[in-house]
Amino acid sequence: MKVLLLGGTGEARALAAALHPAVEVISSLAGRVPDPALPVGPVRIGGFGGAEGMRQWLVDEHVDAVVDATHPFAATITAHAAQVCTELGLPHLVLARPAWSPGTATVVASDTEAAETVAANGYARVFLTTGRSGTRAFKDVDAWFLIRAVTPPDPDTLPADHELLLSRGPYDYAGELALLREHRIDALVTKNSGGAMTEPKLRAAETAGVPVVMVDRPPLPPGVHTVATVEEAARWVKAETAG
Ligand code: NAP
């Protein structure tokens, strides 16, 4: 039995560690970051070439089941996996980490709506944590931005007035609070990524009285089987591969 594990997240690495070497798992990374944290076991890196490319790869590699443990905002690869597994009749699971409760945050549907919210409220010093692909929508917003990302955004997408902070989580509460205060931040923009690694910024914002603009998650494809934890996903894989 062979399992494709679509990854690029801490949960995917934890799942690979829980299954390897008892189950043959091939982890797949998009190849976005030059120095990715690698899971244990075999890894392939790079896109498949759309849904058709993924289908061919699954057939050629004789894969028996697919676990999608990608980031909640990686909607394209998640849609491709759901579609192809349905077509091929392959067991398919989505490991979707629970969303954060938005609390008092202003919930918006997209980066564009988040940028409109920042402009409409006249926020002047914004902590922007929506990742390297999330800066373009803010390019023409008249504010200063502290932009945190793992890899540098394309310079064409950056607002004129900004400071770039290249780093990778996890982050802690004290550090996040200090960052908000040091930079006199008056708004935090975040995706609703969920998970513990980047959640301390929300608690720090609450303490500092900094309003939060939160981009809601894209919906999962209809009808997919979903679990919330690495442990549940490991149980599912073991049950599938035992049969
Ligand atoms: P996306 O928009 O859903 O995917 C775009 C394309 O990238 C896909 O069509 C696919 O190319 C390729 N791809 C994505 N994930 C892949 C994987 N695990 N293995 C092989 N190819 C993959 O995804 P994204 O938002 O660019 O995210 C890319 C990766 O970074 C994901 O693995 C995700 O878990 C991770 N990540 C994303 C975020 C985020 O905020 N979006 C944050 C942290 C980590 P083909 O069509 O050619 O197959």
Side-chain angles (χ1 to χ4, degrees), residues 173 176-178 180-181 185-186 201-211:
Y173 170 79
E176 297 292 66
L177 189 57
L180 294 177
R181 289 189 166 146
I185 296 297
D186 66 4
K201 66 187 169 188
L202 298 179
R203 281 183 288 126
E206 192 180 355
T207 302
V210 168

PDB file of all heavy atoms in Angstrom, residues 173 176-178 180-181 185-186 201-211:
ATOM      1  N   TYR A 173       4.025  34.432  22.410  1.00  0.00           N
ATOM      2  CA  TYR A 173       3.201  35.579  22.816  1.00  0.00           C
ATOM      3  C   TYR A 173       4.045  36.802  23.170  1.00  0.00           C
ATOM      4  O   TYR A 173       3.770  37.913  22.702  1.00  0.00           O
ATOM      5  CB  TYR A 173       2.327  35.138  23.998  1.00  0.00           C
ATOM      6  CG  TYR A 173       1.583  36.247  24.693  1.00  0.00           C
ATOM      7  CD1 TYR A 173       0.410  36.774  24.151  1.00  0.00           C
ATOM      8  CD2 TYR A 173       2.059  36.765  25.898  1.00  0.00           C
ATOM      9  CE1 TYR A 173      -0.267  37.803  24.787  1.00  0.00           C
ATOM     10  CE2 TYR A 173       1.382  37.783  26.534  1.00  0.00           C
ATOM     11  CZ  TYR A 173       0.224  38.299  25.983  1.00  0.00           C
ATOM     12  OH  TYR A 173      -0.435  39.319  26.613  1.00  0.00           O
ATOM     13  N   GLU A 176       5.566  38.367  20.100  1.00  0.00           N
ATOM     14  CA  GLU A 176       4.556  39.017  19.253  1.00  0.00           C
ATOM     15  C   GLU A 176       4.099  40.343  19.871  1.00  0.00           C
ATOM     16  O   GLU A 176       3.940  41.347  19.164  1.00  0.00           O
ATOM     17  CB  GLU A 176       3.344  38.090  19.051  1.00  0.00           C
ATOM     18  CG  GLU A 176       3.652  36.795  18.333  1.00  0.00           C
ATOM     19  CD  GLU A 176       4.027  36.972  16.866  1.00  0.00           C
ATOM     20  OE1 GLU A 176       5.093  37.579  16.615  1.00  0.00           O
ATOM     21  OE2 GLU A 176       3.286  36.509  15.994  1.00  0.00           O
ATOM     22  N   LEU A 177       3.929  40.338  21.196  1.00  0.00           N
ATOM     23  CA  LEU A 177       3.493  41.564  21.879  1.00  0.00           C
ATOM     24  C   LEU A 177       4.571  42.645  21.750  1.00  0.00           C
ATOM     25  O   LEU A 177       4.281  43.815  21.461  1.00  0.00           O
ATOM     26  CB  LEU A 177       3.206  41.242  23.351  1.00  0.00           C
ATOM     27  CG  LEU A 177       2.550  42.324  24.185  1.00  0.00           C
ATOM     28  CD1 LEU A 177       1.221  42.784  23.565  1.00  0.00           C
ATOM     29  CD2 LEU A 177       2.320  41.841  25.620  1.00  0.00           C
ATOM     30  N   ALA A 178       5.830  42.230  21.924  1.00  0.00           N
ATOM     31  CA  ALA A 178       6.937  43.186  21.800  1.00  0.00           C
ATOM     32  C   ALA A 178       6.985  43.772  20.391  1.00  0.00           C
ATOM     33  O   ALA A 178       7.203  44.979  20.208  1.00  0.00           O
ATOM     34  CB  ALA A 178       8.257  42.488  22.136  1.00  0.00           C
ATOM     35  N   LEU A 180       4.482  44.121  18.233  1.00  0.00           N
ATOM     36  CA  LEU A 180       3.362  45.059  18.034  1.00  0.00           C
ATOM     37  C   LEU A 180       3.677  46.405  18.673  1.00  0.00           C
ATOM     38  O   LEU A 180       3.405  47.466  18.095  1.00  0.00           O
ATOM     39  CB  LEU A 180       2.067  44.500  18.652  1.00  0.00           C
ATOM     40  CG  LEU A 180       1.471  43.245  18.019  1.00  0.00           C
ATOM     41  CD1 LEU A 180       0.244  42.792  18.806  1.00  0.00           C
ATOM     42  CD2 LEU A 180       1.102  43.475  16.562  1.00  0.00           C
ATOM     43  N   ARG A 181       4.268  46.357  19.870  1.00  0.00           N
ATOM     44  CA  ARG A 181       4.532  47.601  20.615  1.00  0.00           C
ATOM     45  C   ARG A 181       5.700  48.364  19.982  1.00  0.00           C
ATOM     46  O   ARG A 181       5.627  49.577  19.796  1.00  0.00           O
ATOM     47  CB  ARG A 181       4.807  47.282  22.081  1.00  0.00           C
ATOM     48  CG  ARG A 181       3.502  46.830  22.754  1.00  0.00           C
ATOM     49  CD  ARG A 181       3.623  46.693  24.250  1.00  0.00           C
ATOM     50  NE  ARG A 181       2.289  46.584  24.846  1.00  0.00           N
ATOM     51  CZ  ARG A 181       2.000  45.859  25.901  1.00  0.00           C
ATOM     52  NH1 ARG A 181       2.929  45.174  26.527  1.00  0.00           N
ATOM     53  NH2 ARG A 181       0.758  45.829  26.375  1.00  0.00           N
ATOM     54  N   ILE A 185       2.064  49.215  16.099  1.00  0.00           N
ATOM     55  CA  ILE A 185       1.092  48.672  15.139  1.00  0.00           C
ATOM     56  C   ILE A 185      -0.332  49.074  15.547  1.00  0.00           C
ATOM     57  O   ILE A 185      -0.677  49.004  16.728  1.00  0.00           O
ATOM     58  CB  ILE A 185       1.229  47.122  15.110  1.00  0.00           C
ATOM     59  CG1 ILE A 185       2.601  46.708  14.589  1.00  0.00           C
ATOM     60  CG2 ILE A 185       0.087  46.477  14.330  1.00  0.00           C
ATOM     61  CD1 ILE A 185       2.936  47.103  13.172  1.00  0.00           C
ATOM     62  N   ASP A 186      -1.133  49.495  14.556  1.00  0.00           N
ATOM     63  CA  ASP A 186      -2.531  49.812  14.888  1.00  0.00           C
ATOM     64  C   ASP A 186      -3.530  48.894  14.185  1.00  0.00           C
ATOM     65  O   ASP A 186      -4.746  49.090  14.333  1.00  0.00           O
ATOM     66  CB  ASP A 186      -2.849  51.296  14.663  1.00  0.00           C
ATOM     67  CG  ASP A 186      -2.780  51.713  13.207  1.00  0.00           C
ATOM     68  OD1 ASP A 186      -2.560  50.844  12.336  1.00  0.00           O
ATOM     69  OD2 ASP A 186      -2.949  52.918  12.944  1.00  0.00           O
ATOM     70  N   LYS A 201       0.018  35.715  17.912  1.00  0.00           N
ATOM     71  CA  LYS A 201      -0.182  37.097  17.459  1.00  0.00           C
ATOM     72  C   LYS A 201      -1.597  37.582  17.775  1.00  0.00           C
ATOM     73  O   LYS A 201      -1.802  38.771  18.024  1.00  0.00           O
ATOM     74  CB  LYS A 201       0.115  37.234  15.960  1.00  0.00           C
ATOM     75  CG  LYS A 201      -0.837  36.475  15.054  1.00  0.00           C
ATOM     76  CD  LYS A 201      -0.374  36.511  13.595  1.00  0.00           C
ATOM     77  CE  LYS A 201      -1.194  35.532  12.762  1.00  0.00           C
ATOM     78  NZ  LYS A 201      -0.665  35.384  11.397  1.00  0.00           N
ATOM     79  N   LEU A 202      -2.566  36.653  17.780  1.00  0.00           N
ATOM     80  CA  LEU A 202      -3.951  37.054  18.060  1.00  0.00           C
ATOM     81  C   LEU A 202      -4.109  37.449  19.526  1.00  0.00           C
ATOM     82  O   LEU A 202      -4.770  38.441  19.852  1.00  0.00           O
ATOM     83  CB  LEU A 202      -4.918  35.918  17.718  1.00  0.00           C
ATOM     84  CG  LEU A 202      -4.947  35.476  16.260  1.00  0.00           C
ATOM     85  CD1 LEU A 202      -5.935  34.335  16.075  1.00  0.00           C
ATOM     86  CD2 LEU A 202      -5.306  36.640  15.346  1.00  0.00           C
ATOM     87  N   ARG A 203      -3.482  36.654  20.396  1.00  0.00           N
ATOM     88  CA  ARG A 203      -3.564  36.985  21.834  1.00  0.00           C
ATOM     89  C   ARG A 203      -2.810  38.271  22.125  1.00  0.00           C
ATOM     90  O   ARG A 203      -3.250  39.110  22.918  1.00  0.00           O
ATOM     91  CB  ARG A 203      -3.019  35.825  22.675  1.00  0.00           C
ATOM     92  CG  ARG A 203      -4.043  34.694  22.803  1.00  0.00           C
ATOM     93  CD  ARG A 203      -3.559  33.582  23.685  1.00  0.00           C
ATOM     94  NE  ARG A 203      -2.503  32.805  23.060  1.00  0.00           N
ATOM     95  CZ  ARG A 203      -1.308  32.560  23.580  1.00  0.00           C
ATOM     96  NH1 ARG A 203      -1.008  33.047  24.771  1.00  0.00           N
ATOM     97  NH2 ARG A 203      -0.411  31.829  22.946  1.00  0.00           N
ATOM     98  N   ALA A 204      -1.675  38.452  21.456  1.00  0.00           N
ATOM     99  CA  ALA A 204      -0.899  39.690  21.647  1.00  0.00           C
ATOM    100  C   ALA A 204      -1.699  40.895  21.172  1.00  0.00           C
ATOM    101  O   ALA A 204      -1.717  41.944  21.833  1.00  0.00           O
ATOM    102  CB  ALA A 204       0.425  39.583  20.887  1.00  0.00           C
ATOM    103  N   ALA A 205      -2.387  40.751  20.039  1.00  0.00           N
ATOM    104  CA  ALA A 205      -3.198  41.862  19.516  1.00  0.00           C
ATOM    105  C   ALA A 205      -4.313  42.209  20.495  1.00  0.00           C
ATOM    106  O   ALA A 205      -4.616  43.388  20.730  1.00  0.00           O
ATOM    107  CB  ALA A 205      -3.772  41.486  18.153  1.00  0.00           C
ATOM    108  N   GLU A 206      -4.906  41.185  21.093  1.00  0.00           N
ATOM    109  CA  GLU A 206      -5.982  41.424  22.065  1.00  0.00           C
ATOM    110  C   GLU A 206      -5.444  42.215  23.258  1.00  0.00           C
ATOM    111  O   GLU A 206      -6.040  43.202  23.692  1.00  0.00           O
ATOM    112  CB  GLU A 206      -6.553  40.079  22.504  1.00  0.00           C
ATOM    113  CG  GLU A 206      -7.846  40.212  23.286  1.00  0.00           C
ATOM    114  CD  GLU A 206      -8.389  38.862  23.704  1.00  0.00           C
ATOM    115  OE1 GLU A 206      -7.829  37.823  23.320  1.00  0.00           O
ATOM    116  OE2 GLU A 206      -9.383  38.867  24.455  1.00  0.00           O
ATOM    117  N   THR A 207      -4.288  41.788  23.779  1.00  0.00           N
ATOM    118  CA  THR A 207      -3.672  42.478  24.917  1.00  0.00           C
ATOM    119  C   THR A 207      -3.354  43.930  24.571  1.00  0.00           C
ATOM    120  O   THR A 207      -3.586  44.843  25.374  1.00  0.00           O
ATOM    121  CB  THR A 207      -2.353  41.771  25.324  1.00  0.00           C
ATOM    122  OG1 THR A 207      -2.648  40.427  25.646  1.00  0.00           O
ATOM    123  CG2 THR A 207      -1.704  42.460  26.512  1.00  0.00           C
ATOM    124  N   ALA A 208      -2.816  44.130  23.371  1.00  0.00           N
ATOM    125  CA  ALA A 208      -2.367  45.470  22.975  1.00  0.00           C
ATOM    126  C   ALA A 208      -3.513  46.335  22.456  1.00  0.00           C
ATOM    127  O   ALA A 208      -3.300  47.508  22.116  1.00  0.00           O
ATOM    128  CB  ALA A 208      -1.284  45.347  21.902  1.00  0.00           C
ATOM    129  N   GLY A 209      -4.725  45.760  22.376  1.00  0.00           N
ATOM    130  CA  GLY A 209      -5.869  46.529  21.866  1.00  0.00           C
ATOM    131  C   GLY A 209      -5.747  46.839  20.379  1.00  0.00           C
ATOM    132  O   GLY A 209      -6.272  47.838  19.891  1.00  0.00           O
ATOM    133  N   VAL A 210      -5.057  45.934  19.656  1.00  0.00           N
ATOM    134  CA  VAL A 210      -4.867  46.126  18.212  1.00  0.00           C
ATOM    135  C   VAL A 210      -5.990  45.397  17.458  1.00  0.00           C
ATOM    136  O   VAL A 210      -6.155  44.186  17.618  1.00  0.00           O
ATOM    137  CB  VAL A 210      -3.490  45.570  17.773  1.00  0.00           C
ATOM    138  CG1 VAL A 210      -3.376  45.492  16.260  1.00  0.00           C
ATOM    139  CG2 VAL A 210      -2.366  46.417  18.354  1.00  0.00           C
ATOM    140  N   PRO A 211      -6.771  46.112  16.640  1.00  0.00           N
ATOM    141  CA  PRO A 211      -7.833  45.438  15.882  1.00  0.00           C
ATOM    142  C   PRO A 211      -7.267  44.450  14.860  1.00  0.00           C
ATOM    143  O   PRO A 211      -6.182  44.658  14.316  1.00  0.00           O
ATOM    144  CB  PRO A 211      -8.575  46.576  15.182  1.00  0.00           C
ATOM    145  CG  PRO A 211      -7.709  47.776  15.288  1.00  0.00           C
ATOM    146  CD  PRO A 211      -6.728  47.565  16.399  1.00  0.00           C
TER     147      PRO A 211
END
